[in-house]
């Protein structure tokens, strides 16, 4: 397959009149000037590396447009989320995830990290055959997105409290039983869904006893992606200090959780010492600006974290919005609001947060994807640079002027998915999921 691109927007440069050649598996075999020696199978005016969504809870998509009137804060919203979590079986999760993932592909995402903790039936009984995890893998396959399944350990309801209600389906009871299920899941996916990358996640410091954090990490392969919610709420920080005398960042660091394979999610409420620790560990930070705004979480310290040595990425989290451009624009906008100046993050930093650094957070150590490049799967977002929003933009500024509506299609592993087709799939999946009275 041959793809001819008028302008290829890379984080650090622009390339004109580019031809990319692919093999039958969608892997790039050649990239260079378009000499037009043979007709192209696809011709596009403007393209960029496809985006990576480093933090998703797919089932939260079912809450979109249904919680705003209730007001409150994160903790009140969480009760509504728990109510939805208590209703889902594998078929329901598959439908919700298909809708979310198809919308992601329509928006230009080629990869997603699913932070998954809906493991069991509502009463905590395990499903046979890893049914909930297979449902997510099925949904990713149907949508055409590359899935990193971040299987999550969740052992307690908070500092000093047991799991209750919907949380019962999140837990395996002990770190050892989680490790056993994780190993069995890896073997199952190797047969049923070999295209899925299995990673792991620690839900948060409030969901795992402090003296079990090190054991949770020690029982995992050392090269897999490892994610953890961190300091999303001031209340979490206060409870952690009261229980351990440490900030969540210091607690994780002392347990050996933080290193270059680790992605911390949100990291909104940090001390200066926390920022320095995260930077020194070379972690990735998954900031989710549309969710953090929706839940009133606060503005993170993107510029400080980047300056300290952390890598910035973006995620859609609760999927109240699925639009990588909105996430990136808010990432820079939040940095401006915090600092009182413009252009806090360079265009290169913004593009890398959405693309190469995001993909690195979702792949095993040493297997990062710097697309497009020879030997890598071809992942591209095909952009309309002449819409009412984008016309006249410098190509590198498209990260701050475009929206998901300006994505014409997404190439994932060499397969072209028209955005209009993916949007129809998303709607169809939701309509199948919801009873008529809820629509």
């Amino acid at each position: 397959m041959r793809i001819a691109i008028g302008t290829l927007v890379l984080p650090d440069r622009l390339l004109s009149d580019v031809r990319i050649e692919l093999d039958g598996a969608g892997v790039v075999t050649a990239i260079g000037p378009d000499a037009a020696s043979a007709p192209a199978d696809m011709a596009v005016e403007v393209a960029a590396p496809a985006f990576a969504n480093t933090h998703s809870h797919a089932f939260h998509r079912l809450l979109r447009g249904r919680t705003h009137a209730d007001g409150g804060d994160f903790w009140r919203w969480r009760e509504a989320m728990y109510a939805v979590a208590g209703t889902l079986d594998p078929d329901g999760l598959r439908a919700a995830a298909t809708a979310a993932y198809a919308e992601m592909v329509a928006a230009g995402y080629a990869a997603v990290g699913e932070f998954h903790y809906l493991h069991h039936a509502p009463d905590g009984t395990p499903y046979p055959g890893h049914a909930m995890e297979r449902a997510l893998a099925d949904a990713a396959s149907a949508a055409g997105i590359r899935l990193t399944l971040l299987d999550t350990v969740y052992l307690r309801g908070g500092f000093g409290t047991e799991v209750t209600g919907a949380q019962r389906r999140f837990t395996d009871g002990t770190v050892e039983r989680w490790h056993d299920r994780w190993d069995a899941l890896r073997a199952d996916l190797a047969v049923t869904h070999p295209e899925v990358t299995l990673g792991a996640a620690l839900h948060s410091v409030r969901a795992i006893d402090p003296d079990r954090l090190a054991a949770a990490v020690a029982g995992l392969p050392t090269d897999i992606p490892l994610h953890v919610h961190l300091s999303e709420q001031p209340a979490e920080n206060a409870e952690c200090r009261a229980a351990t005398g440490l900030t969540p960042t210091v607690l994780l660091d002392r347990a050996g959780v933080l290193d270059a394979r680790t992605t911390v999610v949100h990291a909104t409420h940090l001390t200066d010492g926390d920022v320095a620790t995260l930077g020194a560990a070379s972690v990735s930070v998954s900031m989710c600006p549309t969710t953090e705004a929706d839940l009133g979480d606060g503005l993170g310290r993107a510029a400080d974290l980047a300056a300290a040595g952390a890598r910035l990425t973006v995620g859609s989290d609760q999927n109240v919005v699925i639009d990588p451009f909105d996430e990136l624009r808010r990432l820079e906008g939040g940095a401006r609001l915090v600092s009182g100046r413009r252009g806090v993050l360079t265009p290169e930093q913004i593009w890398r947060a959405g693309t190469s650094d995001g993909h690195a957070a979702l792949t095993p150590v040493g297997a990062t994807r710097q697309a497009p490049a020879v030997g890598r799967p071809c992942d591209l977002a095909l952009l309309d640079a002449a819409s009412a929003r984008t016309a006249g933009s410098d190509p590198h500024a498209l990260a701050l002027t475009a929206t998901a509506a300006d994505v014409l299609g997404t190439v994932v592993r060499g397969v072209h998915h028209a955005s209009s087709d993916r949007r129809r799939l998303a709607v169809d999946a939701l309509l199948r999921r919801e009873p008529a009275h809820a629509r």
Side-chain angles (χ1 to χ4, degrees):
M1 181 178 180
R2 303 178 181 90
I3 304 175
I5 304 171
T7 301
L8 179 60
V9 184
L10 299 176
D12 59 344
R13 64 192 186 281
L14 302 176
L15 299 178
S16 299
D17 297 322
V18 176
R19 175 167 295 214
I20 300 175
E21 298 193 11
L22 315 177
D23 65 16
V27 174
V28 177
T29 58
I31 181 169
D34 183 10
S37 58
D41 301 290
M42 179 188 302
V44 298
E45 290 297 321
V46 180
F51 296 97
N53 183 345
T54 56
H55 190 68
S56 165
H57 301 292
F59 79 92
H60 290 190
R61 170 63 182 84
L62 300 175
L63 291 166
R64 186 187 294 179
R66 297 184 176 179
T67 62
H68 181 73
D70 294 336
D73 56 11
F74 168 88
W75 304 101
R76 182 167 179 177
W77 170 88
R78 190 176 74 159
E79 294 307 312
M81 183 269 287
Y82 280 173
V84 170
T87 69
L88 289 171
D89 61 8
D91 288 340
L93 180 60
R94 183 182 296 105
T98 298
Y101 295 162
E103 189 179 358
M104 289 176 197
V105 176
Y109 287 114
V112 59
E114 180 65 27
F115 200 105
H116 168 62
Y117 49 79
L118 287 182
H119 303 304
H120 308 305
D123 64 356
T125 303
Y127 284 106
H130 307 283
M132 295 296 268
E133 291 74 29
R134 284 196 189 186
L136 292 168
D138 291 343
S141 179
I145 200 165
R146 182 182 295 107
L147 173 65
T148 295
L149 182 58
L150 300 162
D151 193 87
T152 303
V153 58
Y154 194 114
L155 301 180
R156 63 181 187 179
F159 290 95
T161 63
E162 301 297 321
V163 295
T164 59
Q167 295 170 341
R168 289 195 298 270
R169 70 184 313 179
F170 305 167
T171 185
D172 293 296
T174 68
V175 165
E176 291 74 21
R177 285 201 289 270
W178 174 58
H179 285 155
D180 289 344
R181 187 178 55 76
W182 192 96
D183 289 337
L185 176 60
R186 178 171 58 171
D188 182 88
L189 291 176
V191 175
T192 62
H193 291 280
E195 74 282 2
V196 172
T197 296
L198 181 61
L202 315 179
H203 181 273
S204 58
V205 295
R206 67 176 185 272
I208 307 168
D209 289 322
D211 61 358
R212 301 301 290 155
L213 288 168
V217 173
L220 297 169
T222 59
D223 63 339
I224 64 167
L226 178 67
H227 291 219
V228 57
H229 289 129
L230 177 67
S231 293
E232 182 177 5
Q233 289 289 319
E236 175 184 339
N237 288 354
E239 291 171 3
C240 187
R241 282 184 180 275
T244 69
L246 307 172
T247 68
T249 296
V250 174
L251 180 61
L252 291 175
D253 187 46
R254 291 189 180 181
V257 175
L258 302 179
D259 58 34
R261 68 164 174 163
T262 308
T263 297
V264 297
V265 182
H266 302 302
T268 306
H269 301 282
L270 303 175
T271 67
D272 290 345
D274 291 339
V275 171
T277 296
L278 294 171
S282 300
V283 303
S284 295
V285 181
S286 178
M287 302 188 114
C288 307
T290 61
T291 290
E292 289 147 10
D294 182 71
L295 298 179
D297 285 344
L299 292 170
R301 299 177 62 175
D304 292 341
L305 286 162
R311 296 180 300 276
L312 301 179
T313 74
V314 292
S316 62
D317 194 357
Q318 62 163 325
N319 296 304
V320 68
V321 175
I322 295 178
D323 185 338
F325 298 99
D326 199 353
E327 305 293 353
L328 294 169
R329 190 160 42 247
R330 289 175 187 249
L331 184 70
E332 166 64 10
R336 293 182 185 188
L337 290 170
V338 168
S339 68
R341 59 187 179 87
R342 302 181 72 247
V344 179
L345 303 175
T346 67
E348 180 176 348
Q349 285 177 300
I350 293 169
W351 280 105
R352 287 192 183 281
T355 60
S356 56
D357 285 349
H359 287 288
L362 299 179
T363 52
V365 174
T368 56
R369 292 184 172 91
Q370 179 69 42
V374 173
R376 302 291 188 188
C378 182
D379 299 334
L380 295 169
L382 313 180
L383 308 179
D384 181 358
S387 74
R389 292 165 296 277
T390 60
S393 291
D394 178 279
H396 265 134
L398 289 172
L400 297 176
T401 61
T403 72
D406 299 309
V407 178
L408 303 175
T410 305
V411 176
V412 185
R413 294 193 187 96
V415 177
H416 174 229
H417 302 280
S419 292
S420 57
D421 291 343
R422 296 300 89 182
R423 294 188 186 106
R424 282 195 296 271
L425 175 59
V427 172
D428 289 347
L430 279 177
L431 293 180
R432 288 196 304 272
R433 161 68 177 81
E434 296 183 351
H437 72 268
R439 299 201 288 266

